[in-house]
Amino acid sequence: MTDAPEFTAGREPEGKVGALIAWALFILSIPSANVLVLVGLVVSYVTRGTATGVARQHIEAQIALFWSVFWWTIAAWVGIAISAAASVILIGIPFLLLFLLIWFLLSVWFTVKSVLGLINLLGDKPI
């Protein structure tokens, strides 16, 4: 027996639409100042219970991606705050720029990873 969902004419596998919506919202993270990411996370959690097969794998990947990037972003913001405080002495300016660059790269990586996830989902490929 397989975990593959039953396909009927004109219907998507359970959870695929929710996974598509969540990936699309994750992709819009940079233009929306990460507000739509939170909406995408809620969509992922809501559709996770009914999703099956490849869609379920994508939803689990979305949730894991969010939380990993969330904690790295917190670490970057702590570095930015410490560097900003230390920039009064001028020593912190290079570190401030470094942590701002890290934060930017995290946002770009999150968006690129979301685009690749969406492409894989459209091709019904597992993560």
PDB file of all heavy atoms in Angstrom, residues 64-94:
ATOM      1  N   ALA A  64       9.101  23.928   9.017  1.00  0.00           N
ATOM      2  CA  ALA A  64      10.500  23.815   9.444  1.00  0.00           C
ATOM      3  C   ALA A  64      11.327  24.990   8.924  1.00  0.00           C
ATOM      4  O   ALA A  64      12.168  25.547   9.652  1.00  0.00           O
ATOM      5  CB  ALA A  64      11.096  22.494   8.959  1.00  0.00           C
ATOM      6  N   LEU A  65      11.097  25.387   7.674  1.00  0.00           N
ATOM      7  CA  LEU A  65      11.815  26.529   7.102  1.00  0.00           C
ATOM      8  C   LEU A  65      11.530  27.799   7.892  1.00  0.00           C
ATOM      9  O   LEU A  65      12.436  28.555   8.233  1.00  0.00           O
ATOM     10  CB  LEU A  65      11.421  26.719   5.633  1.00  0.00           C
ATOM     11  CG  LEU A  65      11.992  27.946   4.928  1.00  0.00           C
ATOM     12  CD1 LEU A  65      13.510  27.848   4.833  1.00  0.00           C
ATOM     13  CD2 LEU A  65      11.373  28.087   3.547  1.00  0.00           C
ATOM     14  N   PHE A  66      10.247  28.027   8.204  1.00  0.00           N
ATOM     15  CA  PHE A  66       9.897  29.227   8.954  1.00  0.00           C
ATOM     16  C   PHE A  66      10.637  29.275  10.283  1.00  0.00           C
ATOM     17  O   PHE A  66      11.244  30.281  10.631  1.00  0.00           O
ATOM     18  CB  PHE A  66       8.386  29.309   9.219  1.00  0.00           C
ATOM     19  CG  PHE A  66       8.047  30.424  10.155  1.00  0.00           C
ATOM     20  CD1 PHE A  66       7.909  31.712   9.677  1.00  0.00           C
ATOM     21  CD2 PHE A  66       7.903  30.202  11.519  1.00  0.00           C
ATOM     22  CE1 PHE A  66       7.618  32.762  10.547  1.00  0.00           C
ATOM     23  CE2 PHE A  66       7.615  31.241  12.391  1.00  0.00           C
ATOM     24  CZ  PHE A  66       7.477  32.521  11.902  1.00  0.00           C
ATOM     25  N   TRP A  67      10.572  28.189  11.056  1.00  0.00           N
ATOM     26  CA  TRP A  67      11.157  28.221  12.392  1.00  0.00           C
ATOM     27  C   TRP A  67      12.676  28.317  12.354  1.00  0.00           C
ATOM     28  O   TRP A  67      13.272  28.980  13.207  1.00  0.00           O
ATOM     29  CB  TRP A  67      10.689  27.039  13.233  1.00  0.00           C
ATOM     30  CG  TRP A  67       9.259  27.239  13.641  1.00  0.00           C
ATOM     31  CD1 TRP A  67       8.181  26.534  13.214  1.00  0.00           C
ATOM     32  CD2 TRP A  67       8.760  28.264  14.514  1.00  0.00           C
ATOM     33  NE1 TRP A  67       7.036  27.047  13.774  1.00  0.00           N
ATOM     34  CE2 TRP A  67       7.363  28.106  14.588  1.00  0.00           C
ATOM     35  CE3 TRP A  67       9.346  29.287  15.249  1.00  0.00           C
ATOM     36  CZ2 TRP A  67       6.552  28.932  15.358  1.00  0.00           C
ATOM     37  CZ3 TRP A  67       8.542  30.113  16.017  1.00  0.00           C
ATOM     38  CH2 TRP A  67       7.165  29.934  16.064  1.00  0.00           C
ATOM     39  N   SER A  68      13.319  27.694  11.377  1.00  0.00           N
ATOM     40  CA  SER A  68      14.775  27.824  11.313  1.00  0.00           C
ATOM     41  C   SER A  68      15.170  29.257  10.972  1.00  0.00           C
ATOM     42  O   SER A  68      16.075  29.823  11.595  1.00  0.00           O
ATOM     43  CB  SER A  68      15.370  26.846  10.305  1.00  0.00           C
ATOM     44  OG  SER A  68      14.990  27.172   8.989  1.00  0.00           O
ATOM     45  N   VAL A  69      14.484  29.851  10.006  1.00  0.00           N
ATOM     46  CA  VAL A  69      14.793  31.238   9.637  1.00  0.00           C
ATOM     47  C   VAL A  69      14.396  32.185  10.762  1.00  0.00           C
ATOM     48  O   VAL A  69      15.081  33.187  11.021  1.00  0.00           O
ATOM     49  CB  VAL A  69      14.101  31.618   8.311  1.00  0.00           C
ATOM     50  CG1 VAL A  69      14.231  33.103   8.020  1.00  0.00           C
ATOM     51  CG2 VAL A  69      14.704  30.813   7.171  1.00  0.00           C
ATOM     52  N   PHE A  70      13.326  31.902  11.467  1.00  0.00           N
ATOM     53  CA  PHE A  70      12.899  32.750  12.581  1.00  0.00           C
ATOM     54  C   PHE A  70      14.006  32.870  13.624  1.00  0.00           C
ATOM     55  O   PHE A  70      14.354  33.967  14.056  1.00  0.00           O
ATOM     56  CB  PHE A  70      11.624  32.157  13.210  1.00  0.00           C
ATOM     57  CG  PHE A  70      11.174  32.878  14.447  1.00  0.00           C
ATOM     58  CD1 PHE A  70      10.475  34.069  14.353  1.00  0.00           C
ATOM     59  CD2 PHE A  70      11.453  32.373  15.711  1.00  0.00           C
ATOM     60  CE1 PHE A  70      10.050  34.746  15.490  1.00  0.00           C
ATOM     61  CE2 PHE A  70      11.039  33.033  16.849  1.00  0.00           C
ATOM     62  CZ  PHE A  70      10.337  34.222  16.745  1.00  0.00           C
ATOM     63  N   TRP A  71      14.567  31.728  14.045  1.00  0.00           N
ATOM     64  CA  TRP A  71      15.589  31.773  15.091  1.00  0.00           C
ATOM     65  C   TRP A  71      16.887  32.411  14.588  1.00  0.00           C
ATOM     66  O   TRP A  71      17.548  33.130  15.345  1.00  0.00           O
ATOM     67  CB  TRP A  71      15.837  30.377  15.665  1.00  0.00           C
ATOM     68  CG  TRP A  71      14.650  29.914  16.442  1.00  0.00           C
ATOM     69  CD1 TRP A  71      13.832  28.868  16.149  1.00  0.00           C
ATOM     70  CD2 TRP A  71      14.097  30.530  17.616  1.00  0.00           C
ATOM     71  NE1 TRP A  71      12.814  28.777  17.074  1.00  0.00           N
ATOM     72  CE2 TRP A  71      12.954  29.786  17.989  1.00  0.00           C
ATOM     73  CE3 TRP A  71      14.450  31.637  18.393  1.00  0.00           C
ATOM     74  CZ2 TRP A  71      12.186  30.107  19.098  1.00  0.00           C
ATOM     75  CZ3 TRP A  71      13.674  31.945  19.502  1.00  0.00           C
ATOM     76  CH2 TRP A  71      12.557  31.199  19.835  1.00  0.00           C
ATOM     77  N   TRP A  72      17.252  32.187  13.329  1.00  0.00           N
ATOM     78  CA  TRP A  72      18.437  32.852  12.788  1.00  0.00           C
ATOM     79  C   TRP A  72      18.210  34.363  12.678  1.00  0.00           C
ATOM     80  O   TRP A  72      19.129  35.155  12.880  1.00  0.00           O
ATOM     81  CB  TRP A  72      18.830  32.256  11.437  1.00  0.00           C
ATOM     82  CG  TRP A  72      19.575  30.971  11.580  1.00  0.00           C
ATOM     83  CD1 TRP A  72      19.110  29.712  11.302  1.00  0.00           C
ATOM     84  CD2 TRP A  72      20.901  30.808  12.067  1.00  0.00           C
ATOM     85  NE1 TRP A  72      20.071  28.787  11.582  1.00  0.00           N
ATOM     86  CE2 TRP A  72      21.189  29.425  12.052  1.00  0.00           C
ATOM     87  CE3 TRP A  72      21.890  31.685  12.517  1.00  0.00           C
ATOM     88  CZ2 TRP A  72      22.416  28.915  12.467  1.00  0.00           C
ATOM     89  CZ3 TRP A  72      23.107  31.167  12.928  1.00  0.00           C
ATOM     90  CH2 TRP A  72      23.359  29.793  12.894  1.00  0.00           C
ATOM     91  N   THR A  73      16.987  34.760  12.364  1.00  0.00           N
ATOM     92  CA  THR A  73      16.674  36.190  12.283  1.00  0.00           C
ATOM     93  C   THR A  73      16.754  36.831  13.663  1.00  0.00           C
ATOM     94  O   THR A  73      17.262  37.951  13.806  1.00  0.00           O
ATOM     95  CB  THR A  73      15.284  36.401  11.660  1.00  0.00           C
ATOM     96  OG1 THR A  73      15.286  35.812  10.351  1.00  0.00           O
ATOM     97  CG2 THR A  73      14.933  37.868  11.557  1.00  0.00           C
ATOM     98  N   ILE A  74      16.266  36.142  14.675  1.00  0.00           N
ATOM     99  CA  ILE A  74      16.379  36.654  16.050  1.00  0.00           C
ATOM    100  C   ILE A  74      17.853  36.851  16.402  1.00  0.00           C
ATOM    101  O   ILE A  74      18.241  37.885  16.960  1.00  0.00           O
ATOM    102  CB  ILE A  74      15.695  35.699  17.052  1.00  0.00           C
ATOM    103  CG1 ILE A  74      14.198  35.633  16.811  1.00  0.00           C
ATOM    104  CG2 ILE A  74      16.016  36.086  18.497  1.00  0.00           C
ATOM    105  CD1 ILE A  74      13.456  36.934  17.053  1.00  0.00           C
ATOM    106  N   ALA A  75      18.688  35.866  16.066  1.00  0.00           N
ATOM    107  CA  ALA A  75      20.123  35.974  16.348  1.00  0.00           C
ATOM    108  C   ALA A  75      20.738  37.163  15.606  1.00  0.00           C
ATOM    109  O   ALA A  75      21.556  37.908  16.166  1.00  0.00           O
ATOM    110  CB  ALA A  75      20.842  34.686  15.969  1.00  0.00           C
ATOM    111  N   ALA A  76      20.326  37.363  14.350  1.00  0.00           N
ATOM    112  CA  ALA A  76      20.844  38.503  13.582  1.00  0.00           C
ATOM    113  C   ALA A  76      20.413  39.825  14.204  1.00  0.00           C
ATOM    114  O   ALA A  76      21.197  40.770  14.288  1.00  0.00           O
ATOM    115  CB  ALA A  76      20.372  38.420  12.127  1.00  0.00           C
ATOM    116  N   TRP A  77      19.157  39.905  14.649  1.00  0.00           N
ATOM    117  CA  TRP A  77      18.671  41.137  15.273  1.00  0.00           C
ATOM    118  C   TRP A  77      19.375  41.422  16.598  1.00  0.00           C
ATOM    119  O   TRP A  77      19.629  42.582  16.932  1.00  0.00           O
ATOM    120  CB  TRP A  77      17.161  41.098  15.467  1.00  0.00           C
ATOM    121  CG  TRP A  77      16.443  41.528  14.226  1.00  0.00           C
ATOM    122  CD1 TRP A  77      15.767  40.729  13.355  1.00  0.00           C
ATOM    123  CD2 TRP A  77      16.367  42.843  13.692  1.00  0.00           C
ATOM    124  NE1 TRP A  77      15.279  41.474  12.318  1.00  0.00           N
ATOM    125  CE2 TRP A  77      15.627  42.784  12.499  1.00  0.00           C
ATOM    126  CE3 TRP A  77      16.857  44.077  14.106  1.00  0.00           C
ATOM    127  CZ2 TRP A  77      15.365  43.899  11.720  1.00  0.00           C
ATOM    128  CZ3 TRP A  77      16.584  45.189  13.325  1.00  0.00           C
ATOM    129  CH2 TRP A  77      15.849  45.085  12.155  1.00  0.00           C
ATOM    130  N   VAL A  78      19.693  40.377  17.347  1.00  0.00           N
ATOM    131  CA  VAL A  78      20.464  40.576  18.580  1.00  0.00           C
ATOM    132  C   VAL A  78      21.838  41.130  18.229  1.00  0.00           C
ATOM    133  O   VAL A  78      22.328  42.073  18.872  1.00  0.00           O
ATOM    134  CB  VAL A  78      20.566  39.255  19.387  1.00  0.00           C
ATOM    135  CG1 VAL A  78      21.598  39.358  20.490  1.00  0.00           C
ATOM    136  CG2 VAL A  78      19.204  38.896  19.959  1.00  0.00           C
ATOM    137  N   GLY A  79      22.461  40.561  17.193  1.00  0.00           N
ATOM    138  CA  GLY A  79      23.749  41.086  16.740  1.00  0.00           C
ATOM    139  C   GLY A  79      23.654  42.520  16.268  1.00  0.00           C
ATOM    140  O   GLY A  79      24.546  43.339  16.542  1.00  0.00           O
ATOM    141  N   ILE A  80      22.576  42.859  15.572  1.00  0.00           N
ATOM    142  CA  ILE A  80      22.377  44.238  15.107  1.00  0.00           C
ATOM    143  C   ILE A  80      22.235  45.174  16.306  1.00  0.00           C
ATOM    144  O   ILE A  80      22.833  46.258  16.333  1.00  0.00           O
ATOM    145  CB  ILE A  80      21.139  44.320  14.179  1.00  0.00           C
ATOM    146  CG1 ILE A  80      21.442  43.642  12.848  1.00  0.00           C
ATOM    147  CG2 ILE A  80      20.706  45.762  13.970  1.00  0.00           C
ATOM    148  CD1 ILE A  80      20.224  43.423  11.966  1.00  0.00           C
ATOM    149  N   ALA A  81      21.454  44.769  17.289  1.00  0.00           N
ATOM    150  CA  ALA A  81      21.240  45.620  18.471  1.00  0.00           C
ATOM    151  C   ALA A  81      22.545  45.833  19.235  1.00  0.00           C
ATOM    152  O   ALA A  81      22.868  46.969  19.632  1.00  0.00           O
ATOM    153  CB  ALA A  81      20.193  44.998  19.379  1.00  0.00           C
ATOM    154  N   ILE A  82      23.306  44.769  19.434  1.00  0.00           N
ATOM    155  CA  ILE A  82      24.580  44.906  20.152  1.00  0.00           C
ATOM    156  C   ILE A  82      25.547  45.760  19.356  1.00  0.00           C
ATOM    157  O   ILE A  82      26.233  46.632  19.911  1.00  0.00           O
ATOM    158  CB  ILE A  82      25.172  43.510  20.451  1.00  0.00           C
ATOM    159  CG1 ILE A  82      24.299  42.789  21.483  1.00  0.00           C
ATOM    160  CG2 ILE A  82      26.613  43.611  20.931  1.00  0.00           C
ATOM    161  CD1 ILE A  82      24.644  41.328  21.660  1.00  0.00           C
ATOM    162  N   SER A  83      25.612  45.547  18.044  1.00  0.00           N
ATOM    163  CA  SER A  83      26.508  46.325  17.197  1.00  0.00           C
ATOM    164  C   SER A  83      26.102  47.795  17.151  1.00  0.00           C
ATOM    165  O   SER A  83      26.954  48.682  17.115  1.00  0.00           O
ATOM    166  CB  SER A  83      26.532  45.760  15.783  1.00  0.00           C
ATOM    167  OG  SER A  83      26.995  44.441  15.790  1.00  0.00           O
ATOM    168  N   ALA A  84      24.791  48.053  17.131  1.00  0.00           N
ATOM    169  CA  ALA A  84      24.325  49.442  17.113  1.00  0.00           C
ATOM    170  C   ALA A  84      24.717  50.146  18.403  1.00  0.00           C
ATOM    171  O   ALA A  84      25.127  51.309  18.392  1.00  0.00           O
ATOM    172  CB  ALA A  84      22.821  49.486  16.914  1.00  0.00           C
ATOM    173  N   ALA A  85      24.597  49.427  19.513  1.00  0.00           N
ATOM    174  CA  ALA A  85      25.001  50.017  20.788  1.00  0.00           C
ATOM    175  C   ALA A  85      26.514  50.254  20.821  1.00  0.00           C
ATOM    176  O   ALA A  85      26.977  51.264  21.342  1.00  0.00           O
ATOM    177  CB  ALA A  85      24.587  49.109  21.939  1.00  0.00           C
ATOM    178  N   ALA A  86      27.270  49.335  20.240  1.00  0.00           N
ATOM    179  CA  ALA A  86      28.728  49.464  20.233  1.00  0.00           C
ATOM    180  C   ALA A  86      29.216  50.448  19.172  1.00  0.00           C
ATOM    181  O   ALA A  86      30.370  50.877  19.218  1.00  0.00           O
ATOM    182  CB  ALA A  86      29.374  48.106  19.999  1.00  0.00           C
ATOM    183  N   SER A  87      28.350  50.818  18.239  1.00  0.00           N
ATOM    184  CA  SER A  87      28.794  51.727  17.176  1.00  0.00           C
ATOM    185  C   SER A  87      29.054  53.128  17.698  1.00  0.00           C
ATOM    186  O   SER A  87      29.667  53.942  17.017  1.00  0.00           O
ATOM    187  CB  SER A  87      27.779  51.765  16.038  1.00  0.00           C
ATOM    188  OG  SER A  87      26.580  52.364  16.469  1.00  0.00           O
ATOM    189  N   VAL A  88      28.610  53.409  18.901  1.00  0.00           N
ATOM    190  CA  VAL A  88      28.905  54.692  19.525  1.00  0.00           C
ATOM    191  C   VAL A  88      30.422  54.839  19.679  1.00  0.00           C
ATOM    192  O   VAL A  88      30.970  55.926  19.554  1.00  0.00           O
ATOM    193  CB  VAL A  88      28.192  54.795  20.897  1.00  0.00           C
ATOM    194  CG1 VAL A  88      28.594  56.052  21.637  1.00  0.00           C
ATOM    195  CG2 VAL A  88      26.694  54.730  20.702  1.00  0.00           C
ATOM    196  N   ILE A  89      31.094  53.725  19.885  1.00  0.00           N
ATOM    197  CA  ILE A  89      32.554  53.739  20.051  1.00  0.00           C
ATOM    198  C   ILE A  89      33.252  53.579  18.702  1.00  0.00           C
ATOM    199  O   ILE A  89      34.462  53.545  18.648  1.00  0.00           O
ATOM    200  CB  ILE A  89      33.001  52.595  20.989  1.00  0.00           C
ATOM    201  CG1 ILE A  89      32.063  52.442  22.163  1.00  0.00           C
ATOM    202  CG2 ILE A  89      34.402  52.815  21.497  1.00  0.00           C
ATOM    203  CD1 ILE A  89      32.300  51.180  22.951  1.00  0.00           C
ATOM    204  N   LEU A  90      32.511  53.456  17.625  1.00  0.00           N
ATOM    205  CA  LEU A  90      32.986  53.283  16.257  1.00  0.00           C
ATOM    206  C   LEU A  90      33.525  51.882  15.973  1.00  0.00           C
ATOM    207  O   LEU A  90      33.771  51.543  14.836  1.00  0.00           O
ATOM    208  CB  LEU A  90      34.055  54.324  15.883  1.00  0.00           C
ATOM    209  CG  LEU A  90      33.583  55.772  15.873  1.00  0.00           C
ATOM    210  CD1 LEU A  90      34.744  56.684  15.541  1.00  0.00           C
ATOM    211  CD2 LEU A  90      32.467  55.969  14.878  1.00  0.00           C
ATOM    212  N   ILE A  91      33.704  51.057  16.985  1.00  0.00           N
ATOM    213  CA  ILE A  91      34.156  49.690  16.760  1.00  0.00           C
ATOM    214  C   ILE A  91      33.001  48.842  16.220  1.00  0.00           C
ATOM    215  O   ILE A  91      33.209  47.937  15.434  1.00  0.00           O
ATOM    216  CB  ILE A  91      34.691  49.071  18.074  1.00  0.00           C
ATOM    217  CG1 ILE A  91      35.934  49.808  18.519  1.00  0.00           C
ATOM    218  CG2 ILE A  91      34.962  47.591  17.923  1.00  0.00           C
ATOM    219  CD1 ILE A  91      36.435  49.414  19.882  1.00  0.00           C
ATOM    220  N   GLY A  92      31.798  49.168  16.607  1.00  0.00           N
ATOM    221  CA  GLY A  92      30.647  48.351  16.248  1.00  0.00           C
ATOM    222  C   GLY A  92      30.122  48.565  14.849  1.00  0.00           C
ATOM    223  O   GLY A  92      29.315  47.777  14.373  1.00  0.00           O
ATOM    224  N   ILE A  93      30.570  49.600  14.153  1.00  0.00           N
ATOM    225  CA  ILE A  93      30.033  49.891  12.814  1.00  0.00           C
ATOM    226  C   ILE A  93      30.265  48.733  11.843  1.00  0.00           C
ATOM    227  O   ILE A  93      29.332  48.321  11.148  1.00  0.00           O
ATOM    228  CB  ILE A  93      30.574  51.226  12.280  1.00  0.00           C
ATOM    229  CG1 ILE A  93      29.981  52.359  13.118  1.00  0.00           C
ATOM    230  CG2 ILE A  93      30.233  51.404  10.804  1.00  0.00           C
ATOM    231  CD1 ILE A  93      30.519  53.724  12.788  1.00  0.00           C
ATOM    232  N   PRO A  94      31.480  48.160  11.762  1.00  0.00           N
ATOM    233  CA  PRO A  94      31.643  47.019  10.845  1.00  0.00           C
ATOM    234  C   PRO A  94      30.757  45.828  11.236  1.00  0.00           C
ATOM    235  O   PRO A  94      30.219  45.143  10.359  1.00  0.00           O
ATOM    236  CB  PRO A  94      33.123  46.649  10.971  1.00  0.00           C
ATOM    237  CG  PRO A  94      33.792  47.845  11.532  1.00  0.00           C
ATOM    238  CD  PRO A  94      32.748  48.563  12.346  1.00  0.00           C
TER     239      PRO A  94
END
